Amino acid sequence: MKKTLISLCALALGGMSLSACGGSEAADDGKITMGFAQVGAESGWRTANTTSIQDSAKEAGIDLKFSDAQQKQENQIKSIRSYIQQKVDVIAFSPVVETGWDAVLQEAKRAKIPVVLTDRAVDTEDTSLYVTFIGSDFVEEGEKAGQWLVDNAEASDVDKDGAINVVELQGTTGSAPAIDRKKGFEDVISSDSTIKITSSQTGDFTRDGGKQVMEAFLQSDPKIDVVYAHNDDMGLGAIEAIKAAGKKPGTDIKIITVDAVKDGMTALAAGEINFIVECSPLLGPQLMDVAEKVVAGEEVPERIVTEETTFTPEQAAEALPDRKY
Ligand code: AHR
């Protein structure tokens, strides 16, 4: 473990951004210790994200203490407290929900341990509680999904009666991607009065959750034209429910998802999903790079946005052979 003597400049310099300061003393054993509190293993995306973090830590020679919160905020808080007690050099985590982090982040700050957010943001007025946030722009992802629907609504003949009924499978309630992907999508589809979200419910980012919610939607609403799923796994669950109801996914009901993991891309290439907005889980290398800089007292940007694209069925077929996750 490095003997980190980072003086949280926000404390010393009265509100100055933590990312612009920091500084640590010479290493005890030269190795950085990172405590990482993961959300869980709810989706293909999350599994790929965990692998990326573990592999990158190994490659960078960072000693990684890893915990899986099983999608429960109280478990993440417990892990963070334990990392504080163990005096790790840096804490990183992907917050399961946006709110409720101030108390534990204050504890990390008092212990002079820098915190890096990855993948998901926290909702706090005190941005000195973390150094930087590495991850996607979820609002933009929702906008891209909405834009595809607006652009393709007519061409795809989504509904014969001129109304396009969308059901939404939301991610974990209160999580940044669920809030932002909903907002981005709604903002864009509001420009087209024929498109309406008729039902919206959480499937908790899991395949099983997506399947169960879709089964209930199909039973209560015979006129579903489009499924907007906040991730591939819920979209894949919805496909199972649609098939079981005797309909053809991608044809009778259009499907838009977010992530672009292998299973999602395979369904897209097969025409069972119509459009995927990419969300990259490969955040490990950037995280290790930032951790090294922060522990060395170097400046890092306050926000690092992941670069992403979108996929049509043709593009998915082309990309699949090289897809790593
Ligand atoms: O926070 C990223 C989201 O969390 C991914 O889109 C989803 O698959 C995961 O569970």
Side-chain angles (χ1 to χ4, degrees), residues 282-320:
L282 306 180
L283 304 177
Q286 274 172 313
L287 172 60
M288 300 312 148
D289 186 49
V290 160
E292 279 167 350
K293 289 195 169 118
V294 167
V295 173
E298 289 172 33
E299 280 191 24
V300 295
E302 286 172 18
R303 175 77 170 100
I304 300 168
V305 184
T306 318
E307 276 182 31
E308 283 148 358
T309 184
T310 58
F311 293 96
T312 60
E314 299 71 29
Q315 290 165 331
E318 210 177 300
L320 258 173

Side-chain angles (χ1 to χ4, degrees), residues 42-43 45-46 119-120 138 177 181 205 230-231 259 279:
E42 73 281 8
S43 61
W45 189 100
R46 189 64 56 195
D119 165 35
R120 299 182 182 180
F138 295 136
R181 286 174 187 166
F205 280 129
H230 289 188
N231 80 344
D259 275 355
C279 176

Side-chain angles (χ1 to χ4, degrees), residues 219-252:
Q219 270 170 17
S220 62
D221 183 358
K223 282 179 59 47
I224 298 171
D225 302 308
V226 178
V227 173
Y228 169 43
H230 289 188
N231 80 344
D232 285 350
D233 277 83
M234 291 190 295
L236 292 162
I239 288 175
E240 290 177 34
I242 292 168
K243 284 182 178 168
K247 295 192 176 189
K248 212 171 165 203
T251 305
D252 297 331

Side-chain angles (χ1 to χ4, degrees), residues 191-237:
S191 68
D192 185 332
S193 60
T194 62
I195 303 174
K196 294 223 160 31
I197 297 180
T198 50
S199 303
S200 180
Q201 212 174 295
T202 181
D204 213 11
F205 280 129
T206 67
R207 204 172 286 210
D208 205 41
K211 185 178 176 205
Q212 282 179 31
V213 174
M214 193 62 203
E215 280 167 355
F217 284 166
L218 284 161
Q219 270 170 17
S220 62
D221 183 358
K223 282 179 59 47
I224 298 171
D225 302 308
V226 178
V227 173
Y228 169 43
H230 289 188
N231 80 344
D232 285 350
D233 277 83
M234 291 190 295
L236 292 162

Side-chain angles (χ1 to χ4, degrees), residues 8-29:
L8 288 188
C9 302
L11 284 177
L13 300 178
M16 182 181 160
S17 158
L18 181 62
S19 58
C21 42
S24 68
E25 241 191 19
D28 268 350
D29 61 4

Side-chain angles (χ1 to χ4, degrees), residues 15-272:
M16 182 181 160
S17 158
L18 181 62
S19 58
C21 42
S24 68
E25 241 191 19
D28 268 350
D29 61 4
K31 241 188 166 185
I32 294 172
T33 301
M34 172 188 286
F36 188 91
Q38 180 61 289
V39 171
E42 73 281 8
S43 61
W45 189 100
R46 189 64 56 195
T47 308
N49 179 245
T50 292
T51 305
S52 170
I53 285 156
Q54 290 174 333
D55 288 355
S56 311
K58 210 179 264 172
E59 225 163 87
I62 289 178
D63 181 14
L64 183 71
K65 295 182 185 299
F66 183 90
S67 58
D68 173 340
Q70 295 176 344
Q71 288 185 279
K72 292 199 173 69
Q73 182 175 33
E74 65 263 34
N75 290 345
Q76 271 192 317
I77 291 175
K78 262 188 221 153
S79 297
I80 294 170
R81 290 212 164 107
S82 135
Y83 296 145
I84 295 170
Q85 271 185 349
Q86 294 173 61
K87 297 186 171 47
V88 298
D89 297 305
V90 55
I91 291 171
F93 78 116
S94 177
V96 60
V97 289
E98 276 192 333
T99 55
W101 299 102
D102 280 52
V104 72
L105 293 183
Q106 288 284 0
E107 290 168 33
K109 183 171 171 174
R110 277 196 295 275
K112 300 182 168 60
I113 299 175
V115 172
V116 176
L117 302 178
T118 73
D119 165 35
R120 299 182 182 180
V122 298
D123 184 1
T124 176
E125 290 194 350
D126 185 356
T127 53
S128 77
L129 294 177
Y130 59 91
V131 186
T132 183
F133 165 37
I134 307 167
S136 311
D137 182 336
F138 295 136
V139 175
E140 194 179 82
E141 290 174 352
E143 288 169 352
K144 288 177 183 169
Q147 196 57 53
W148 181 86
L149 185 56
V150 169
D151 293 345
N152 291 273
E154 216 181 298
S156 59
D157 187 23
V158 214
D159 191 60
K160 326 286 174 258
D161 65 4
I164 296 162
N165 298 331
V166 182
V167 295
E168 182 181 33
L169 298 172
Q170 289 186 44
T172 303
T173 306
S175 70
I179 294 166
D180 293 352
R181 286 174 187 166
K182 180 172 186 53
K183 184 187 179 317
F185 186 79
E186 282 177 350
D187 282 353
V188 171
I189 61 161
S190 67
S191 68
D192 185 332
S193 60
T194 62
I195 303 174
K196 294 223 160 31
I197 297 180
T198 50
S199 303
S200 180
Q201 212 174 295
T202 181
D204 213 11
F205 280 129
T206 67
R207 204 172 286 210
D208 205 41
K211 185 178 176 205
Q212 282 179 31
V213 174
M214 193 62 203
E215 280 167 355
F217 284 166
L218 284 161
Q219 270 170 17
S220 62
D221 183 358
K223 282 179 59 47
I224 298 171
D225 302 308
V226 178
V227 173
Y228 169 43
H230 289 188
N231 80 344
D232 285 350
D233 277 83
M234 291 190 295
L236 292 162
I239 288 175
E240 290 177 34
I242 292 168
K243 284 182 178 168
K247 295 192 176 189
K248 212 171 165 203
T251 305
D252 297 331
I253 297 179
K254 308 285 176 197
I255 304 180
I256 307 165
T257 66
V258 183
D259 275 355
V261 295
K262 242 186 199 155
D263 287 356
M265 294 284 272
T266 304
L268 178 62
E272 293 188 331

